Amino acid sequence: MRSTAPWRAAVASRSLAKREGAAPFLMSCLLLAGCGGGTVTARDAAGYEPMPQEPMPVDAGGDGDAAMTVDGAQCTAVIEEHTYEGANHIPCTAATNYQTQPPSSGNHFGCWPEYRTYDLPVPWGNLVHGLEHGAVVIVYNCGSAGCLDETLRAQAFIDSLPLDTAGGCPSTRRVILAPDPTLPVRWAATAWTWTLRSDCFDETAFRRFYTDHYDHAPESICSGGAPYANLCDGVICG
């Protein structure tokens, strides 16, 4: 499914054929244990993701004349539904080969990250595990110039979201914000089998995506998550 629309209005969409092999929805939630917090360090960051690079020319997937701007900001936002790619666990040293940018499902590492904001790229093998638990991941690639104003607005947006209503996690938001130097657009969000791609951060577009796709995944797990330094340490996360 692809939809392009001004985000003052409802997103126009077309239904896809039902995905084959999608896992059944579960409604399990463990008790909250250490959600959030911790200091992000540069440990093994280069080993997880390619080093930072300038973003590619923006291609948000629009269809020419169908592309629409958001609130006069010259911002095109495109939401698409993607084919289910699997959900098996693989070693955290294994290569991944996701078919969408950003990834939206697929085989993933055994540990999911803490639900919070990161200053460094987080391995997609871990992030996809978070997606399987119902999380929304927001990523950006603003190049060497950065985009402090947009990231501050993104953080304010996340802080405005309601706390998790799943049992046992009253102080959690299953939302992750992180840079991604491999992203071919400036801003994106992903949930299980869905992506939003945009050439700027627009709260209305991202809020609509969050509302429609948060906690709609094979598992509903709001607890835990591994600290950044332990995402592939062989002790907490093998």
Side-chain angles (χ1 to χ4, degrees):
M1 178 182 299
R2 169 175 291 178
S3 61
T4 59
W7 288 95
R8 291 173 178 168
V11 177
S13 62
R14 299 187 304 274
S15 297
L16 284 180
K18 185 177 181 180
R19 297 190 303 274
E20 294 184 358
F25 281 76
L26 304 177
M27 291 302 296
S28 60
C29 180
L30 307 176
L31 293 178
L32 176 64
C35 296
T39 300
V40 174
T41 67
R43 178 191 178 278
D44 292 339
Y48 287 140
E49 298 288 337
M51 294 301 291
Q53 60 187 19
E54 292 296 320
M56 297 168 60
V58 170
D59 175 8
D63 294 321
D65 292 340
M68 313 269 307
T69 61
V70 178
D71 293 337
Q74 302 302 309
C75 183
T76 300
V78 176
I79 287 179
E80 293 179 285
E81 185 177 18
H82 303 284
T83 301
Y84 170 75
E85 296 181 33
N88 294 323
H89 286 189
I90 58 176
C92 63
T93 54
T96 55
N97 184 29
Y98 300 116
Q99 301 303 301
T100 66
Q101 287 186 292
S104 53
S105 70
N107 297 337
H108 48 265
F109 302 158
C111 280
W112 65 97
E114 294 174 322
Y115 304 122
R116 63 184 184 86
T117 295
Y118 295 86
D119 295 328
L120 292 170
V122 180
W124 275 107
N126 298 109
L127 290 173
V128 170
H129 197 156
L131 299 182
E132 185 191 29
H133 291 180
V136 169
V137 174
I138 300 173
V139 286
Y140 57 92
N141 181 6
C142 298
S144 59
C147 51
L148 180 60
D149 58 336
E150 288 180 273
T151 55
L152 289 175
R153 285 193 283 114
Q155 186 62 60
F157 159 70
I158 293 171
D159 293 342
S160 74
L161 295 173
L163 294 174
D164 215 311
T165 58
C169 299
S171 61
T172 304
R173 294 181 181 94
R174 274 174 280 173
V175 181
I176 291 173
L177 174 65
D180 178 5
T182 70
L183 194 68
V185 292
R186 189 173 178 90
W187 282 89
T190 179
W192 193 252
T193 70
W194 289 85
T195 61
L196 179 157
R197 289 154 55 93
S198 178
D199 54 16
C200 77
F201 180 81
D202 179 80
E203 179 181 328
T204 306
F206 280 77
R207 188 175 295 277
R208 179 58 184 264
F209 184 82
Y210 169 87
T211 300
D212 287 348
H213 303 296
Y214 179 77
D215 202 16
H216 287 68
E219 300 174 355
S220 181
I221 298 178
C222 58
S223 66
Y228 185 89
N230 302 113
L231 290 175
C232 187
D233 63 359
V235 179
I236 295 177
C237 297

